Amino acid sequence: MLEYEVAAIYYFIADIISAQPYFEEVPLDMLMPCVFYPAPTPAASGFSTNAYATEFAMYIKFMDRSTMAAYEMGEKVLQAIMGNRRKVPLVDGAGKETGRNFRVNMPKLKKIEEGVFQMELSWDRHTRYDAKEVTLARDIFMNGLPVGKED
């Protein structure tokens, strides 16, 4: 599902600004203005007995010939995300909106060097454990009594 979230972010941004996208690496002869979409970094943690949480962070870079132009691109995207209540529409394989969304955490925009502004976008995903592991997790005792069993 991660590819759908990254694709959703790309299509959301592409509807707001016109810039050359780069995904793997930015070439030396890059076109300006451009946006670099790196792979998100995941961090997992426990959530409940049925699910775990994974937080993804993506550091998108807006690049242009001037710092102000890079800032303007990032600011437009920031305002659009906040104006949409931090919801990014999910897309299907063809890039069409599915009618579903995912919510990002508070985005952060900062200058990292001349002509480059970076936006930190993060979001959480909650995933159920494998069915076998959930069944095992349910066979626990609370206060000496088995959970889910009747006397």
Side-chain angles (χ1 to χ4, degrees):
M1 178 150 160
L2 180 60
E3 61 274 5
Y4 291 111
E5 292 161 343
V6 173
I9 291 168
Y10 162 73
Y11 281 105
F12 186 82
I13 292 174
D15 281 346
I16 299 162
I17 60 171
S18 178
Q20 174 67 38
Y22 292 108
F23 293 94
E24 304 235 350
E25 293 181 16
V26 178
L28 292 175
D29 61 343
M30 64 183 163
L31 299 174
M32 292 288 199
C34 65
V35 179
F36 175 56
Y37 300 90
T41 56
S45 63
F47 180 68
S48 72
T49 58
N50 290 334
Y52 61 94
T54 307
E55 180 179 355
F56 294 94
M58 190 173 183
Y59 300 91
I60 301 167
K61 293 178 181 63
F62 299 93
M63 297 177 262
D64 208 334
R65 299 192 192 286
S66 74
T67 301
M68 186 54 75
Y71 166 77
E72 287 174 0
M73 285 192 298
E75 177 64 14
K76 283 181 185 176
V77 172
L78 179 73
Q79 294 303 322
I81 290 170
M82 294 306 293
N84 202 36
R85 296 179 186 241
R86 299 188 340 254
K87 291 188 276 184
V88 177
L90 286 167
V91 296
D92 62 15
K96 293 185 70 173
E97 291 186 13
T98 63
R100 296 177 48 218
N101 301 295
F102 72 99
R103 187 179 300 272
V104 297
N105 300 325
M106 286 294 185
K108 299 176 182 121
L109 185 65
K110 68 179 181 179
K111 176 185 170 186
I112 58 171
E113 64 181 83
E114 295 301 316
V116 182
F117 264 78
Q118 176 179 279
M119 177 177 286
E120 178 186 347
L121 274 185
S122 63
W123 63 95
D124 299 324
R125 181 191 307 150
H126 299 94
T127 308
R128 290 195 177 278
Y129 289 115
D130 295 335
K132 186 176 183 181
E133 292 183 21
V134 170
T135 303
L136 291 174
R138 287 187 179 152
D139 292 336
I140 62 172
F141 292 80
M142 293 187 74
N143 298 329
L145 298 173
V147 173
K149 304 236 181 198
E150 295 182 27
D151 292 333

